[in-house]
Amino acid sequence: MPETDLFWNYKWSCKRVGELYRAPGLNFYDLIKFIKIYYSSYMIQDIAPSIFYNHFVDNIAAADDIALHFFEGKIFCLYDEKKQVILFPKIKNFVSEKPLYLFSIDNQKYFLLSENVEVPADLSDFSFYTPRQLRDLPLAPDAKVSLFAVFSAYHLWKWYDDNKFCGHCGHPLELDSAERALCCPACKSKIYPRINPAVIIGILNQKKDKILITKYRTGYAHSALVAGFTEFGETLEQTVEREVMEEVGLKVKNIRYYKSQPWALAQDLLAGFFCEVDGDDKIKMDEGELKYAEWVSRDAVELQPNDYSLTNEMMKLFKAGAAV
């Protein structure tokens, strides 16, 4: 991490701890508890001291560079159960056409192989995993970098896989040589990686000192917060107001930005906000989307099984006693 980033992170942290220490009802022991919980939380993109380089470069693959092979949404890799790490094959393991450079982490380059590449017989210990399967496996602290690489690679692979033909004229798309884009040689249209803006919302009930916890009717089974995608023509703050009203029938005030996170599984850029219920706190749950929506006290908040998500960090902050 650059020294300037370290400085500003440190400066922000000191300012935040000072605010928390002055928060009403928070004693010294609560503050120490909060600090221990907060600084033990690392979202999936928090890979420091490693550095992620995502700028576009037309790199040529070397034998020891990482080879990323996706097939039907699954990535080819090896999970070492004993060491709890994720291992990837190298370029030298494959006979392939020119692999596509994706990004680097520190000095390690990562390349994407063609989906129809032949898997070598000497990699019989490797298997195909979905990113969600890898996310749910126990991982050593150092393996976090590999998981972030999987997520980031999946984001780009999904974009390439979904955009093989021009949406305007139907002509096959080609790689742009000057930037990360797909271009149509026929009509000159350009397509850039898909990034969906969405919000995660920590709704607070200040009078009861509770937060609104939800659970989806289908899909992810653990605790969550109200969330949703930004629609055309609205700000992120307006997205917060609309999603809260749609999902739980509440009005909110004092909307304040907390932090953001890339979430590759849905090609999202998540923006976390805290806000407060405005007036009536009776929940009117959207039963088509949610199966649970309740005001929950700090000590009763059930966290997610890992620290990878912005949602979990926001719930953890509230549970730890933070004045969010």
Side-chain angles (χ1 to χ4, degrees), residues 75-89:
I75 189 167
F76 189 63
C77 60
L78 172 64
Y79 175 66
D80 187 323
E81 188 173 355
K82 184 177 180 180
K83 295 181 180 179
Q84 296 185 340
V85 297
I86 301 169
L87 302 174
F88 302 111

Side-chain angles (χ1 to χ4, degrees), residues 75-117:
I75 189 167
F76 189 63
C77 60
L78 172 64
Y79 175 66
D80 187 323
E81 188 173 355
K82 184 177 180 180
K83 295 181 180 179
Q84 296 185 340
V85 297
I86 301 169
L87 302 174
F88 302 111
K90 300 291 183 70
I91 291 294
K92 62 187 176 185
N93 298 126
F94 292 87
V95 177
S96 173
E97 57 195 51
K98 181 184 177 183
L100 179 63
Y101 174 74
L102 297 183
F103 52 80
S104 296
I105 299 178
D106 296 329
N107 295 320
Q108 182 67 70
K109 297 182 178 68
Y110 292 75
F111 287 81
L112 181 65
L113 302 181
S114 170
E115 189 162 327
N116 58 10
V117 69

Side-chain angles (χ1 to χ4, degrees), residues 201-204 211-215 224-227 240-252 275 277 280-287 289-295:
I201 312 162
I203 310 166
L204 307 176
I211 191 169
L212 203 159
I213 299 295
T214 68
K215 290 186 178 180
L225 300 172
V226 170
V240 169
E241 294 176 324
R242 176 181 54 77
E243 286 292 343
V244 172
M245 179 57 67
E246 289 177 357
E247 292 193 14
V248 291
L250 298 173
K251 291 184 178 180
V252 293
C275 58
V277 64
D280 186 9
D281 65 359
K282 183 179 180 181
I283 297 170
K284 305 174 188 67
M285 184 179 73
D286 178 0
E287 296 185 357
E289 185 163 350
L290 303 175
K291 64 179 179 182
Y292 174 89
E294 296 289 343
W295 293 112

Side-chain angles (χ1 to χ4, degrees), residues 143-161:
K144 188 81 169 289
V145 172
S146 296
L147 185 62
F148 178 63
V150 169
F151 270 54
S152 300
Y154 177 84
H155 191 155
L156 287 176
W157 168 82
K158 179 67 174 168
W159 172 63
Y160 286 124
D161 190 62

Side-chain angles (χ1 to χ4, degrees), residues 130-148:
T130 67
R132 286 184 173 87
Q133 287 174 324
L134 294 174
R135 177 195 64 185
D136 294 338
L137 292 172
L139 293 174
D142 290 346
K144 188 81 169 289
V145 172
S146 296
L147 185 62
F148 178 63

